[in-house]
Amino acid sequence: MPILAVPPLAQLRDEFRLSMRRLWQELCRELRADYAALASQFALPVDFLQALGQSLTPDVYSNWKVVGWIETLNDLVYFIDLLQQWRKERQRPDFAEQLFAECEEKFFEHGYRHDLFPSGAPQSAGLEERLVRFCERLAQELVQESLFFDPAVTVKWRRSHSVPQWDVPGSLTTNFERAEEAGTLSVGVMGDWCEPPANVRRELKRSANRAVFRIERSGIAAQLGRVESDLWAGWGGQGQWQWKLCPATVALDTPHGPLTVGSTLVYGKNRQPRTVVWTDPKQVERIARAWRTIHDAWPEGHDVLALLTSQIVPLKAKGVVSFSYRHRPGLSFINCFDRDNLDLIDDLIHENSHHHLNLLLRKHVMYRGDHNQQIFYSPWRRSLRPLRGILHATFTFTMGAMLFERLSAWGAGRGGTARWKKAGLTARDLQRARFRCLEEVESVRYSLQDLHYADHHLGWLTGSGRRLVGQLAEAIAQVEESIAPCRKEILRSKYGSALRRHVEELKKARMT
């Protein structure tokens, strides 16, 4: 299918929704049939989780919160199985070695290795205790999030089951992965949150943001130290939040639903997340303007963006690039403070391209084995990367080159200056867009050669991978042809030396 064809992508997204729903059902069955004792040890209400999953509408099974929730349960079941194996294992040092490698290869996004092997080595001593604590934490986070997807379902399930008392330990600490501010409660699936009353906020500080959620027959209450506070009250399908409900900020509406903007994730000087704060409306408007610019300059790219991106988390982080997670489709963390308006447009497309490729990879196997060997030079990171990293980079930066070519054409000619000014861009940005386009063409061509080598000499690509690489080669060739008339201009500009240096660096890297 063509790279930017929306109908096939929408069909893939629908298939993905079905697969996530089936995965949820299968995980609940496994917990009940194979891990009942451990599920009980970690206070997992499997019947409730299954009922909650059945209550969700099909469309939310591709939502970034719901997918992350299911992926968390998937990880939890995996580690529960490992714990069960560990208790029967005789060769425990070998087991620890294998688990250490698994954490590095399969869970590199999560940092699970640091939880299980804090020393940085595959230490078997104390591993069972670390596994238990880790599973307890994952289970607690999972159940707390489950309670507030739809509190009406939670309370209804409590009424229909003879549960004498249902208390769930929880926490209102900062969650950096979901950009949730300390002292607030995330609810629903759209990024909404609840703010506690003043007396609860004071008690939270004394109790280190720890809480116990009490699910009753007519509502949910929170016990925080010496204070008990009603959270949600209702009967039947109706109910009302007792804490202040703060809906997610809507930047604009798209054909596929609202684009929402979450709280701002703030990093410290050590380039590590430090806190989560309220987002300035000026940043919301910047994001909306960048989105509208993509719509006007590159309609085909915008259609894919609107299909696959649903929530933006602004980053306030010096020197930290935008990023996203495979297990949070549609959620993009965008550096809105250390990057200008042209960078913001680029970052929206870049992170959406990761969502795009991740969706394709959920359907199609594009390379054989994991191949984590760091043997391919990345023109972007200027370091060695594994095959999957090169494939992701080549895909996303091909999209970037296409974006810059379309922006260059949109900003040129009659009316171009007015259009760029309305988009918050300058004449310098137009020249920089052309430079970035030429730079990306060179980089993508370099990595396409490596992908060709991985395919034809190493035999690592599958038929699907070969077809995708062929599409990327065609796309970059079209971009190169379109941007070629601008090459002499850029070589004469202040960006000329940078472009020449980049070409020479790639030649040296190829020789090396």
Side-chain angles (χ1 to χ4, degrees):
M1 69 178 184
I3 292 180
L4 296 177
V6 170
L9 276 177
Q11 183 177 345
L12 272 185
R13 181 202 58 190
D14 292 343
E15 292 179 15
F16 170 57
R17 289 169 173 170
L18 289 173
S19 69
M20 293 308 295
R21 186 181 177 92
R22 285 195 294 267
L23 174 60
W24 181 257
Q25 293 168 342
E26 183 59 33
L27 290 170
C28 289
R29 281 195 293 268
E30 284 185 30
L31 283 170
R32 185 180 292 106
D34 302 328
Y35 310 107
L38 286 169
S40 177
Q41 177 182 338
F42 297 124
L44 281 170
V46 180
D47 289 344
F48 165 68
L49 295 177
Q50 192 166 38
L52 178 60
Q54 291 170 348
S55 75
L56 296 175
T57 57
D59 59 297
V60 302
Y61 274 93
S62 60
N63 169 274
W64 63 273
K65 283 195 72 175
V66 174
V67 172
W69 176 62
I70 295 172
E71 293 280 15
T72 298
L73 181 63
N74 194 29
D75 294 347
L76 178 57
V77 171
Y78 173 82
F79 285 106
I80 283 176
D81 178 69
L82 288 177
L83 178 59
Q84 190 162 282
Q85 291 181 47
W86 171 266
R87 289 172 174 173
K88 301 175 183 176
E89 181 62 49
R90 294 183 178 179
Q91 303 296 327
R92 291 190 166 183
D94 292 343
F95 187 98
E97 289 270 3
Q98 293 172 16
L99 178 54
F100 185 85
E102 288 279 306
C103 288
E104 285 192 313
E105 294 177 8
K106 293 187 177 180
F107 300 104
F108 55 90
E109 279 190 334
H110 300 276
Y112 290 168
R113 196 200 75 184
H114 302 292
D115 293 288
L116 299 175
F117 302 100
S119 67
Q123 187 177 12
S124 60
L127 180 56
E128 180 171 344
E129 291 78 7
R130 296 194 298 274
L131 264 172
V132 168
R133 288 197 303 270
F134 175 67
C135 289
E136 286 174 343
R137 177 173 67 80
L138 279 189
Q140 179 178 306
E141 292 176 1
L142 180 91
V143 176
Q144 176 177 327
E145 191 174 15
S146 303
L147 298 178
F148 301 108
F149 275 161
D150 188 341
V153 172
T154 303
V155 171
K156 182 180 178 181
W157 186 87
R158 163 70 174 83
R159 279 201 310 272
S160 62
H161 288 71
S162 56
V163 181
Q165 185 171 326
W166 188 13
D167 289 349
V168 176
S171 172
L172 298 183
T173 54
T174 305
N175 186 302
F176 294 124
E177 184 179 298
R178 300 196 298 264
E180 294 169 4
E181 190 175 349
T184 65
L185 178 68
S186 174
V187 300
V189 299
M190 297 297 293
D192 301 346
W193 52 280
C194 284
E195 182 181 31
N199 65 321
V200 173
R201 293 199 299 272
R202 288 192 296 269
E203 192 63 30
L204 275 170
K205 292 179 181 179
R206 286 193 286 265
S207 63
N209 288 315
R210 290 189 296 271
V212 174
F213 301 106
R214 178 161 297 151
I215 296 82
E216 299 167 339
R217 295 178 61 82
S218 59
I220 303 176
Q223 182 73 45
L224 307 106
R226 296 168 294 179
V227 174
E228 182 167 319
S229 175
D230 290 336
L231 244 175
W232 187 90
W235 189 263
Q238 303 299 316
Q240 188 171 359
W241 291 104
Q242 305 302 296
W243 289 6
K244 180 183 176 183
L245 178 63
C246 303
T249 300
V250 176
L252 44 76
D253 290 313
T254 81
H256 303 282
L259 172 72
T260 55
V261 178
S263 297
T264 295
L265 182 56
V266 181
Y267 277 56
K269 292 182 180 179
N270 61 353
R271 295 190 179 184
Q272 295 298 316
R274 179 169 55 87
T275 188
V276 177
V277 299
W278 172 80
T279 293
D280 188 332
K282 291 180 181 178
Q283 298 301 334
V284 178
E285 176 50 36
R286 283 189 67 217
I287 291 167
R289 182 174 60 182
W291 191 284
R292 290 192 294 266
T293 300
I294 296 169
H295 173 274
D296 295 341
W298 191 27
E300 301 88 350
H302 168 267
D303 290 345
V304 177
L305 176 67
L307 178 71
L308 299 178
T309 295
S310 57
Q311 168 102 342
I312 304 296
V313 170
L315 288 178
K316 190 172 185 179
K318 189 75 174 177
V320 177
V321 297
S322 301
F323 63 89
S324 54
Y325 297 110
R326 186 199 71 88
H327 59 284
R328 299 264 178 208
L331 174 63
S332 298
F333 293 76
I334 304 292
N335 193 328
C336 297
F337 296 83
D338 196 32
R339 309 269 286 168
D340 62 24
N341 291 333
L342 181 62
D343 295 326
L344 176 56
I345 293 168
D346 178 28
D347 289 345
L348 286 172
I349 288 296
H350 183 87
E351 295 311 323
N352 189 72
S353 300
H354 281 298
H355 301 319
H356 187 166
L357 182 55
N358 283 331
L359 181 61
L360 297 178
L361 288 170
R362 286 183 182 272
K363 172 69 174 181
H364 304 288
V365 176
M366 294 194 180
Y367 48 89
R368 298 179 178 88
D370 287 327
H371 300 300
N372 287 291
Q373 298 94 326
Q374 309 268 336
I375 64 173
F376 299 106
Y377 177 75
S378 168
W380 301 278
R381 297 200 181 194
R382 296 191 171 123
S383 62
L384 296 182
R385 297 280 287 152
L387 177 62
R388 71 163 179 272
I390 296 299
L391 183 62
H392 260 279
T394 306
F395 186 92
T396 55
F397 286 104
T398 296
M399 294 296 179
M402 295 168 74
L403 168 70
F404 287 126
E405 187 276 323
R406 294 313 305 148
L407 284 172
S408 299
W410 184 70
R414 189 173 181 179
T417 302
R419 289 194 295 268
W420 272 63
K421 186 176 181 180
K422 183 180 178 182
L425 302 171
T426 65
R428 177 180 172 275
D429 288 323
L430 174 59
Q431 197 171 64
R432 185 158 64 98
R434 289 170 174 167
F435 160 69
R436 288 292 310 279
C437 183
L438 291 163
E439 183 182 45
E440 299 302 6
V441 166
E442 297 290 342
S443 298
V444 168
R445 284 212 168 280
Y446 182 98
S447 287
L448 282 171
Q449 289 185 48
D450 282 348
L451 290 171
H452 185 274
Y453 180 84
D455 180 17
H456 293 273
H457 294 271
L458 302 177
W460 286 359
L461 293 187
T462 65
S464 295
R466 186 178 303 121
R467 283 191 293 274
L468 179 64
V469 170
Q471 288 179 317
L472 297 177
E474 290 177 9
I476 208 68
Q478 292 174 6
V479 170
E480 186 174 25
E481 182 179 353
S482 298
I483 202 67
C486 301
R487 191 175 187 89
K488 289 183 179 179
E489 171 208 335
I490 297 303
L491 287 172
R492 290 194 302 267
S493 74
K494 67 176 184 178
Y495 296 107
S497 59
L499 182 58
R500 292 187 188 92
R501 186 165 58 250
H502 182 62
V503 172
E504 286 303 312
E505 285 175 354
L506 292 183
K507 286 181 180 177
K508 291 178 182 178
R510 179 62 66 202
M511 290 173 63
T512 302

